[in-house]
Amino acid sequence: MGILSLLIFLPLFVTLLILVLPESAGRMYKYLALGITVIQLGISLYLYQVFDVSSAGINQVNGYQFVEQLPWIRMDLGSIGLLEIDYFVGVDGISLPLIVLSTLVMLMAIGASWNMTKSGKGYYALLMLLNTAVVGIFSALDFFLFYVFYEVMLLPLYFLIGIWGGERREYAAIKFFIYTLLGSVFMLLVIVGLYFSVVNPATGAHTFNMLLMMDPGNYTPDSFFAYANTYHNVLGLEPRLIGFIILFFAFAIKVPIVPLHTWLPDAHVEAPTPVSIILAGVLLKIGGYGIIRVCYSIFPDMAALTNWWIALIGVVSILYGALNALAQKDLKRMIAYSSVSHMGFVLLGIASLTAEGVSGAMFQMISHGFLSAALFFLVGVIYDRVHDRYIYNFRGLASLMPKYTAYVAIAFFASLGLPGFSAFIGEAFVIIGAFNAESMATGLPRWMAIGGSLGILLSAAYFLWTLQRMFFGQTRLFGGQAWQSALTDLSAREQIVLFPALALALLLGIAPSLIFNNLNSSVLQLIDLIKPFL
Amino acid sequence: MITLTHFLLVSACIFCIGLYAVLAKRNAIMILVGIELMINASILNFVAFSRYDKTNYGGQIFALFAIVLAAAAVAVGLAIILNVYRQFKTINPQNIHELKD
Amino acid sequence: MNGLLNISPVYASILVVMLPFFGFLMQAVLGKKSNSGNIGLATIILSVCVSFFAVFLPVWNGAPLTERMHWFTVGGKPFYVGVMLNNLTVLMQLIVGIIALPVHIYSRAYMRNDPGIHRYWMFLSFFCFAMLGLTISTSLLQLYVFWELVGFASYLLIGFWFTKESAVQANKKAFIINRIGDIGFLIGIALVYTHCGTVDLGELFGPQGVFLPAVNADGSWLTLAGLAFFLGAMAKSAQFPLHVWLPDAMEGPTSVSSLIHAATMVAAGVFLLCTIFPLFNETVLLTIAIIGCITALSAAIFALGQYDIKKILAFSTISQLGFMMVGVGIGSWDTAMFHLATHAFFKCLLFLAAGAVIHEMAHFKATHQLDIDPQDLRNMGGLRRYLPTTFVCMTIASLALAGFPLTTGYLSKDSIVVQAFEWGFHLGGIYLLIPTTLAAVSLLTAFYIGRLLFKTFFGKFKFAEKLQKGELHDAPIAMTGPMIFLAACCLFPTCSFHPFDYHQSWLLGGFHVKTAFAAVAEMHSAVPLVLTLGALAAWGVGWRWYVAKRYPLSKNNRWVRFATRQGYFNEFYQLLFVKGTEQLSRGVYAFDHYVVDGLTRTFSAATRRLSVAAHWFDRHMVDGLVNLIAGTTYYVGHLVRHVQNGQLQSYLGFALTVVVLGILYLIIK
């Protein structure tokens, strides 16, 4: 068993262990979960450390590292041929930073759920199952395996929101589940279509191997998804375009894009704090990762064809999310909408098809990962104390909770792109990349970059408004004296959870090369992959 | 002159009376009587038609045969009725519906 | 000192930047300590010493030095951080340090008893770090980082008294308006990066300081980039129409206003334009000149109508920044830098002196429990008897601002106005409007600062009857000392040994700017003469109006009110942008809630309806058919069942019926 498999299946093992342990060992669960996530973070950091930054990945199997490839399912289907499904995992510069991010966010989530009392057994078992699925998604290189992990991820989330959530948890859980399933069901169709179009040159059998799908030479001529296929047209559209759109749709729901974002505010608001953290910190990144790994790499021709529209969606998401955030009165909902806005930058950066833009998008994903996790955690802090998060009900918290205010201010300023913090690098390079797109002739007009940069302005507006409205001024609380005594400053545990996230934001803002070094070759490889089709 | 038709007519009348008794009576004895009447109607027919068999008198012989059989049947029938009466305390066939669903 | 001199200016300049940062870190770690000011003070003193001896002296008029270090690589493109030392940057760094030092000393006394003093020093050190770093950045991206950090420090310091609603409104406003400029700056960086492939100032402009076009330098992108950078400078330097944040920023402590919102940070916009001057083409320069001119005029007019002593100074700052912008716009950015340097001193001094006055007024207000605004000019008057040192310092600064001879302000302002006239004559026609306006603004400047001086220090103190002896007095030496130092710096020897000729200034000599227009000899004598006489006349009018109490205008004069309300810009912006954005965001949210999410809910409701309909169909139609068949069969069976009733008699009856029917059938057939 390779180190990557260990990383993936360690939490699954813990899930089983938790399920086997008797109920009387209730206090053990969280220590078990904590221990295993710490080990996971250690492993992922070790991987990050020994990662060879010069190898590119994307569409070359020898560019991937820590690769494990085992035959998983081999079935003779007679005339259709041999069914070839591999257990095929590996990482490149795109996926490894996200794996590190997800292990870190998981650790934060465990820290945030320390005081969880409601049936810990199921909770931690599901959390660990989710952990396995997430790391699996980021490292799977076989499309079938990818899909399996993708679906496994849904199950624990549904229960985590539906059982441990807020008032309207059932509604939110079902909405989330159906939305995601809607995307993934159609994705399955495309996966099957790709399977029948691609042949493994080594064995002559059809394959689910994603890397083989990225090579135009492996497509059987006249197959459904073959390049320049004109006589399988569906409704006058090229099949590859349809496949691309369907896959994009599936991942775009996860990102989420406007107008497929409405599950997000509901799910975030109703989910318990740790699940909000995971949702914002990791789950949204799966969308962005899927677009890069699957949509853009397998359909580079269509990526070049559609990037104008995708960038438009990105810009609309940025502005729309920011304006919505500005109108919110519920703190958590405000942050949920700000996620929509920030993830719009990811889409804009990816669609720019420039090295700067894609790097910026990746950086933005990572930065948003722990910053949004920190933001949701901060909302959780206040909600834990007074079970209210209506912005107008608070005023002048700075006098009451100075440490909390300092953390909130840092997190807000980091999120609104203050230089020195990671979000700045991400957003700035997305904007620069989008500008650069015109001179690289990738077909993005400059007004999109300018539109995106307006989002930076609006993000300042809603974060500062909240800061001013809730934290500054004379202390005045809706709950009066009761709240005043309930609103105690941050505890040591809360600071331990928050500090690394914000410190990391600062570290990456000052030394972005920590991420860029690992990204660069993969990003360039991706650009090279798409460039011939521009 | 009394012709075959008159015999047949009488026989038919007796048969009909017997038939009526069998169908309509609420008393097993009366039904038995009806049956007897119907047998007798047929016997009458045998006798009447035996006029055309002057060599063997087959009709007459059959009539005798039938009379004997009828007597036997009546004996058996009465015995059954008796048993039925013992079992059900009635001999109205409408009230005896143990086999009905 | 020799040891210090031996270190390379590059490392020395890094030390200059890092010392305040170190101070900031120390204070952050130490936390709530009332004496944390000592750390800030110590670091800034060291920083200034290093800046002067180890950076300024070796580099000034020497060869430019650049040292850079790889920061990160994106794709294949490397980005660097580093230090660029030339006359411009070391001068700016020195100015920042020299202004910051007196302000630090002043703050020791001014902010002494504030409960949040540890935060104050922390933020102040952080500001110094960012501002000093800004001056010597070698790449535009690095410059942008510090650019935003100074804005952030300014945000923190404006909202220092965070329980005061107006202060937190003001800092939000300041940051958001600065953000508009930042976006311009970022767009500019993106354009330069796109077209030149680098954002390194050294690579862009080279040692000669001319634009080195890696790609074709003509084309509209250059205009666009220039305008984008100018937008950044406009917001930071509070140029019309983005000036509205600066008057509000006066909600911060006065010492902060003097350092950040008068001398250093707001001048960063001008500094940026000077740094990237070769990038600008004709169109952009003209825009800069026009905007600068409008700013100078409008701010001077608004200053006339203000009653808050700090707001007058804020508008004066805006107006003077407009002068500097015109200096850049006409192509002689050396004069802009010159004015920046002199303005830094006298404006800082004006604020510090105003702070001393406010300090006393606030004290007076507290002892007598009056409900007055300690910053309101109308509550002052005749203070020169009680605060003589402050009065002298303020007068010197005012003279410098008004451009009277023997002051630095005279030299620098004249340099801009004279060059502007030369520029105007060179182009002729309508272009003369700009220098003419500037000359008019100079007179307005003299008038409003005269008004401030007269209303504050002359006449009779409004609450004289309540005043006890010795109650109003000069500030302690920790406050007056820095003021005296700055006052000395406002006199001509600081920058030129010739009191009347700005060409003799060592400062201008450091920049070798070649202008496109020819020198006009007459202007060099005519303009200073006219301006000085005009300023004297303006003060004369001011004396007559405010001291001799012959005020001719009615209180409700429309123009006065227009000036007092700052030209209704705040109301206009509030209505158009703030309310507009709020409405838009509400509209968008309503759209999101009712249309986008509504669509989702409609889908779900429709699906549920559909499922109900399908259920109905299934139950009544599909299942109904099955039930119908079963029911019919059952019913028929039910009917026929009666035949099989176990009654022998009925069986026979049926049999008979059938036979009869059969017979009838045979008969009928």
Side-chain angles (χ1 to χ4, degrees):
Chain A
M1 194 180 217
I3 189 160
L4 202 54
S5 297
L6 191 69
L7 192 64
I8 299 171
F9 292 110
L10 211 51
L12 191 66
F13 167 71
V14 177
T15 304
L16 297 177
L17 199 63
I18 287 176
L19 290 178
V20 167
L21 277 177
E23 198 67 52
S24 58
R27 290 182 54 76
M28 281 282 291
Y29 302 142
K30 60 182 176 186
Y31 290 104
L32 213 55
L34 178 72
I36 222 70
T37 34
V38 168
I39 293 172
Q40 252 194 319
L41 181 65
I43 295 177
S44 63
L45 284 177
Y46 167 75
L47 290 186
Y48 201 77
Q49 181 60 37
V50 300
F51 184 80
D52 175 15
V53 297
S54 61
S55 63
I58 300 290
N59 61 345
Q60 313 154 316
V61 69
N62 51 12
Y64 281 86
Q65 296 171 46
F66 317 112
V67 175
E68 290 164 46
Q69 187 165 18
L70 301 166
W72 179 20
I73 301 175
R74 288 283 184 280
M75 200 193 297
D76 200 347
L77 296 176
S79 63
I80 303 175
L82 185 71
L83 187 67
E84 193 180 278
I85 300 173
D86 286 348
Y87 173 75
F88 184 22
V89 292
V91 290
D92 66 352
I94 302 285
S95 50
L96 187 55
L98 290 169
I99 289 179
V100 178
L101 170 73
S102 62
T103 53
L104 179 76
V105 171
M106 279 295 166
L107 191 58
M108 283 182 76
I110 300 284
S113 42
W114 207 244
N115 292 338
M116 171 73 60
T117 46
K118 190 173 170 183
S119 59
K121 184 171 195 160
Y123 180 78
Y124 286 104
L126 287 171
L127 215 55
M128 289 297 107
L129 183 61
L130 181 64
N131 196 345
T132 291
V134 166
V135 180
I137 290 172
F138 285 135
S139 39
L141 293 177
D142 187 277
F143 217 154
F144 193 84
L145 187 67
F146 182 88
Y147 188 77
V148 168
F149 280 126
Y150 195 83
E151 293 294 306
V152 167
M153 168 197 78
L154 276 184
L155 172 92
L157 269 176
Y158 173 74
F159 289 111
L160 283 171
I161 299 173
I163 297 176
W164 285 270
E167 265 167 51
R168 296 167 68 224
R169 52 178 178 257
E170 279 97 357
Y171 170 74
I174 289 174
K175 197 171 183 181
F176 163 79
F177 192 87
I178 303 243
Y179 243 120
T180 315
L181 203 64
L182 183 72
S184 63
V185 162
F186 289 113
M187 179 159 85
L188 188 61
L189 281 179
V190 178
I191 294 177
V192 172
L194 280 168
Y195 169 76
F196 284 117
S197 304
V198 176
V199 165
N200 185 349
T203 61
H206 289 304
T207 180
F208 281 107
N209 187 326
M210 280 204 258
L211 303 185
L212 295 174
M213 289 175 182
M214 293 174 196
D215 185 355
N218 291 336
Y219 285 82
T220 333
D222 308 340
S223 61
F224 191 69
F225 281 124
Y227 279 72
N229 174 351
T230 48
Y231 49 85
H232 281 300
N233 281 4
V234 181
L235 299 172
L237 291 173
E238 214 180 317
R240 282 186 72 78
L241 183 60
I242 292 170
F244 176 80
I245 290 172
I246 288 175
L247 285 179
F248 177 74
F249 179 72
F251 293 118
I253 288 173
K254 275 249 146 297
V255 169
I257 62 162
V258 174
L260 303 174
H261 65 281
T262 55
W263 64 268
L264 181 129
D266 283 316
H268 273 154
V269 168
E270 296 308 325
T273 304
V275 179
S276 295
I277 288 174
I278 296 174
L279 270 178
V282 185
L283 271 277
L284 307 190
K285 313 304 170 287
I286 290 173
Y289 172 76
I291 290 172
I292 292 177
R293 167 72 74 235
V294 177
C295 296
Y296 271 50
S297 301
I298 296 181
F299 295 94
D301 48 341
M302 293 304 136
L305 192 72
T306 56
N307 74 329
W308 193 90
W309 291 102
I310 292 174
L312 183 70
I313 292 171
V315 172
V316 169
S317 296
I318 292 171
L319 297 178
Y320 188 89
L323 282 171
N324 268 309
L326 202 54
Q328 296 310 312
K329 299 183 177 72
D330 180 328
L331 187 58
K332 206 168 182 184
R333 201 166 258 272
M334 189 274 277
I335 290 168
Y337 274 110
S338 85
S339 284
V340 176
S341 178
H342 285 137
M343 292 305 285
F345 279 102
V346 174
L347 220 52
L348 179 63
I350 294 174
S352 76
L353 298 181
T354 55
E356 295 83 8
V358 178
S359 304
M362 280 299 299
F363 204 90
Q364 171 78 352
M365 280 210 269
I366 289 154
S367 143
H368 179 258
F370 45 79
L371 278 177
S372 63
L375 286 174
F376 278 112
F377 185 84
L378 285 164
V379 177
V381 166
I382 204 162
Y383 189 73
D384 278 350
R385 284 168 175 55
V386 293
H387 294 280
D388 195 336
R389 35 169 204 255
Y390 192 69
I391 294 174
Y392 285 109
N393 288 348
F394 299 90
R395 174 159 280 203
L397 285 178
S399 319
L400 211 56
M401 309 166 76
K403 270 190 223 154
Y404 178 65
T405 307
Y407 275 103
V408 169
I410 292 172
F412 275 13
F413 272 97
S415 299
L416 65 80
L418 188 74
F421 290 105
S422 50
F424 160 70
I425 302 283
E427 285 170 12
F429 276 95
V430 166
I431 301 291
I432 288 175
F435 261 102
N436 213 358
E438 189 168 286
S439 35
M440 308 297 279
T442 60
L444 285 203
R446 288 210 165 125
W447 60 261
M448 283 191 179
I450 295 175
S453 60
L454 278 183
I456 300 181
L457 176 65
L458 285 172
S459 73
Y462 60 75
F463 277 126
L464 291 187
W465 177 78
T466 312
L467 205 57
Q468 176 240 320
R469 190 64 193 67
M470 278 184 83
F471 294 92
F472 298 146
Q474 296 291 343
T475 307
R476 216 162 61 231
L477 302 168
F478 178 72
Q481 204 57 43
W483 280 22
Q484 193 126 17
S485 48
L487 285 168
T488 49
D489 214 343
L490 290 180
S491 70
R493 171 185 70 88
E494 286 160 340
Q495 289 199 59
I496 289 172
V497 176
L498 277 172
F499 186 76
L502 297 181
L504 198 60
L506 188 66
L507 179 69
L508 292 183
I510 293 169
S513 51
L514 287 176
I515 301 281
F516 281 137
N517 279 352
N518 280 312
L519 276 181
N520 281 338
S521 1
S522 294
V523 169
L524 287 176
Q525 179 71 24
L526 181 71
I527 301 296
D528 283 345
L529 182 67
I530 298 173
K531 197 163 264 173
F533 301 102
L534 278 170
Chain B
M1 148 110 203
I2 297 167
T3 61
L4 181 67
T5 314
H6 294 100
F7 281 99
L8 290 181
L9 215 59
V10 171
S11 157
C13 284
I14 295 169
F15 185 85
C16 284
I17 292 164
L19 188 63
Y20 166 74
V22 167
L23 290 179
K25 285 297 165 188
R26 293 287 182 265
N27 190 327
I29 309 275
M30 293 309 285
I31 290 170
L32 207 57
V33 170
I35 291 169
E36 282 306 310
L37 280 175
M38 284 156 78
I39 292 172
N40 285 336
S42 59
I43 291 169
L44 189 59
N45 276 11
F46 274 122
V47 174
F49 279 107
S50 73
R51 161 185 173 182
Y52 300 101
D53 182 18
K54 297 224 166 79
T55 54
N56 291 330
Y57 298 104
Q60 312 275 7
I61 290 166
F62 252 100
L64 281 176
F65 195 59
I67 288 165
V68 173
L69 269 178
V74 166
V76 172
L78 280 172
I80 289 172
I81 290 168
L82 205 62
N83 273 321
V84 166
Y85 182 76
R86 279 196 194 134
Q87 186 81 19
F88 298 97
K89 299 294 175 217
T90 177
I91 49 170
N92 184 348
Q94 302 251 303
N95 294 341
I96 302 159
H97 41 66
E98 283 253 300
L99 286 176
K100 205 183 156 195
D101 59 339
Chain C
M1 230 5 101
N2 277 335
L4 265 181
L5 282 171
N6 283 341
I7 65 167
S8 144
V10 171
Y11 294 107
S13 66
I14 294 172
L15 191 67
V16 170
V17 177
M18 292 319 287
L19 271 169
F21 185 67
F22 176 69
F24 160 71
L25 280 186
M26 286 272 287
Q27 291 158 34
V29 171
L30 289 177
K32 206 165 182 164
K33 292 268 170 56
S34 58
N35 61 351
S36 59
N38 293 342
I39 302 168
L41 194 61
T43 50
I44 199 74
I45 289 172
L46 264 176
S47 188
V48 173
C49 289
V50 175
S51 173
F52 185 71
F53 290 107
V55 183
F56 182 75
L57 287 181
V59 175
W60 181 256
N61 284 341
L65 290 170
T66 311
E67 191 74 48
R68 60 181 196 178
M69 181 183 100
H70 181 248
W71 187 13
F72 59 87
T73 303
V74 170
K77 295 269 178 54
F79 286 80
Y80 298 95
V81 284
V83 171
M84 187 176 69
L85 299 179
N86 55 30
N87 280 356
L88 178 65
T89 60
V90 293
L91 176 70
M92 189 71 190
Q93 193 177 46
L94 185 66
I95 292 173
V96 172
I98 287 190
I99 298 289
L101 180 58
V103 171
H104 271 74
I105 298 170
Y106 181 91
S107 301
R108 291 271 297 159
Y110 187 76
M111 298 295 290
R112 195 172 49 216
N113 294 321
D114 197 284
I117 185 76
H118 60 291
R119 272 189 300 123
Y120 176 80
W121 289 108
M122 213 164 96
F123 297 162
L124 205 62
S125 291
F126 183 72
F127 171 78
C128 290
F129 152 69
M131 192 65 216
L132 290 168
L134 190 151
T135 56
I136 54 164
S137 293
T138 184
S139 97
L140 282 172
L141 196 68
Q142 188 191 352
L143 192 64
Y144 180 83
V145 169
F146 285 118
W147 179 267
E148 278 224 47
L149 287 184
V150 291
F152 176 57
S154 146
Y155 170 87
L156 292 174
L157 283 165
I158 296 170
F160 173 68
W161 289 310
F162 61 80
T163 49
K164 207 162 93 181
E165 190 58 33
S166 55
V168 291
Q169 293 281 5
N171 72 350
K172 182 179 67 177
K173 187 174 178 180
F175 196 87
I176 290 177
I177 291 184
N178 270 302
R179 249 311 147 101
I180 299 174
D182 294 345
I183 286 171
F185 196 165
L186 187 62
I187 290 173
I189 292 177
L191 280 169
V192 166
Y193 176 77
T194 301
H195 288 278
C196 308
T198 176
V199 291
D200 196 278
L201 288 170
E203 284 175 35
L204 280 173
F205 303 125
Q208 281 81 36
V210 288
F211 187 48
L212 295 175
V215 289
N216 66 332
D218 48 52
S220 58
W221 78 267
L222 207 57
T223 312
L224 195 65
L227 289 177
F229 280 117
F230 181 50
L231 181 68
M234 267 166 79
K236 196 61 88 192
S237 293
Q239 294 297 293
F240 178 90
L242 298 181
H243 63 274
V244 289
W245 68 270
L246 190 57
D248 286 18
M250 296 299 134
E251 291 294 339
T254 309
S255 45
V256 167
S257 307
S258 71
L259 176 61
I260 301 182
H261 304 118
T264 54
M265 188 190 85
V266 287
V270 178
F271 172 74
L272 171 73
L273 296 188
C274 295
T275 310
I276 56 169
F277 183 79
L279 196 73
F280 300 129
N281 61 18
E282 300 273 311
T283 325
V284 179
L285 286 176
L286 188 63
T287 315
I288 294 174
I290 292 171
I291 294 280
C293 190
I294 294 174
T295 309
L297 181 65
S298 61
I301 291 172
F302 298 153
L304 292 174
Q306 300 303 313
Y307 293 104
D308 186 318
I309 187 167
K310 284 180 74 180
K311 288 215 168 147
I312 297 178
L313 294 178
F315 276 114
S316 159
T317 307
I318 298 173
S319 178
Q320 296 303 306
L321 288 166
F323 268 87
M324 299 174 209
M325 286 294 173
V326 175
V328 175
I330 60 173
S332 56
W333 57 267
D334 53 340
T335 59
M337 273 312 288
F338 185 26
H339 195 53
L340 189 159
T342 59
H343 171 261
F345 288 99
F346 63 70
K347 189 50 65 61
C348 181
L349 173 56
L350 279 171
F351 268 104
L352 292 187
V357 171
I358 293 165
H359 198 66
E360 287 307 306
M361 286 302 290
H363 200 251
F364 181 72
K365 173 190 164 185
T367 23
H368 292 277
Q369 300 186 329
L370 297 169
D371 187 25
I372 55 163
D373 181 2
Q375 307 191 5
D376 198 321
L377 279 185
R378 287 167 292 195
N379 297 325
M380 301 174 186
L383 291 178
R384 70 176 190 283
R385 281 189 293 278
Y386 312 113
L387 293 84
T389 321
T390 313
F391 168 62
V392 171
C393 291
M394 191 120 181
T395 310
I396 292 174
S398 302
L399 288 169
L401 175 63
F404 281 99
L406 302 181
T407 61
T408 53
Y410 167 81
L411 295 169
S412 61
K413 182 183 276 184
D414 282 357
S415 72
I416 291 181
V417 179
V418 168
Q419 299 250 29
F421 267 108
E422 287 169 351
W423 174 80
F425 281 124
H426 175 69
L427 295 169
I430 190 99
Y431 292 99
L432 272 171
L433 208 57
I434 287 177
T436 322
T437 317
L438 282 193
V441 171
S442 297
L443 305 186
L444 283 176
T445 309
F447 182 78
Y448 69 67
I449 197 65
R451 170 173 173 265
L452 186 150
L453 204 62
F454 296 144
K455 281 191 89 112
T456 313
F457 291 102
F458 291 86
K460 200 165 143 294
F461 185 51
K462 196 178 169 192
F463 303 101
E465 68 277 7
K466 289 188 178 171
L467 193 64
Q468 284 144 18
K469 195 169 161 51
E471 195 177 1
L472 286 180
H473 52 78
D474 257 326
I477 185 73
M479 278 162 79
T480 47
M483 281 153 63
I484 293 165
F485 165 73
L486 287 170
C489 291
C490 290
L491 299 173
F492 72 92
T494 328
C495 52
S496 167
F497 292 114
H498 192 296
F500 299 115
D501 186 5
Y502 65 82
H503 288 290
Q504 305 288 325
S505 163
W506 58 267
L507 212 153
L508 279 182
F511 306 116
H512 308 283
V513 178
K514 289 190 189 66
T515 47
F517 43 82
V520 183
E522 305 87 66
M523 281 293 134
H524 287 260
S525 48
V527 168
L529 193 68
V530 169
L531 287 187
T532 310
L533 289 178
L536 269 175
W539 279 43
V541 173
W543 178 272
R544 191 180 150 78
W545 284 13
Y546 298 110
V547 182
K549 295 287 175 202
R550 296 210 191 87
Y551 190 64
L553 300 172
S554 94
K555 240 190 168 141
N556 292 324
N557 186 306
R558 265 173 60 205
W559 296 105
V560 173
R561 187 178 285 174
F562 175 79
T564 312
R565 301 296 298 275
Q566 309 176 8
Y568 301 103
F569 271 100
N570 285 316
E571 290 78 2
F572 175 66
Y573 285 170
Q574 180 73 22
L575 201 67
L576 188 67
F577 295 113
V578 179
K579 288 270 176 276
T581 313
E582 273 177 19
Q583 293 294 331
L584 183 66
S585 73
R586 281 207 203 100
V588 168
Y589 182 56
F591 176 79
D592 191 61
H593 191 70
Y594 293 110
V595 180
V596 180
D597 200 26
L599 218 59
T600 317
R601 277 179 309 212
T602 314
F603 267 126
S604 96
T607 315
R608 267 180 297 172
R609 291 275 158 70
L610 200 67
S611 73
V612 170
H615 177 64
W616 184 89
F617 182 81
D618 191 55
R619 194 161 158 189
H620 293 100
M621 305 304 285
V622 180
D623 203 24
L625 202 67
V626 177
N627 282 344
L628 187 70
I629 294 168
T632 315
T633 318
Y634 181 80
Y635 187 69
V636 171
H638 184 70
L639 283 180
V640 178
R641 194 170 68 132
H642 294 292
V643 176
Q644 198 78 12
N645 60 359
Q647 300 290 339
L648 202 61
Q649 289 176 313
S650 350
Y651 292 167
L652 286 173
F654 279 118
L656 181 69
T657 314
V658 171
V659 170
V660 169
L661 285 175
I663 292 167
L664 278 176
Y665 174 73
L666 289 174
I667 291 168
I668 292 165
K669 199 182 79 167

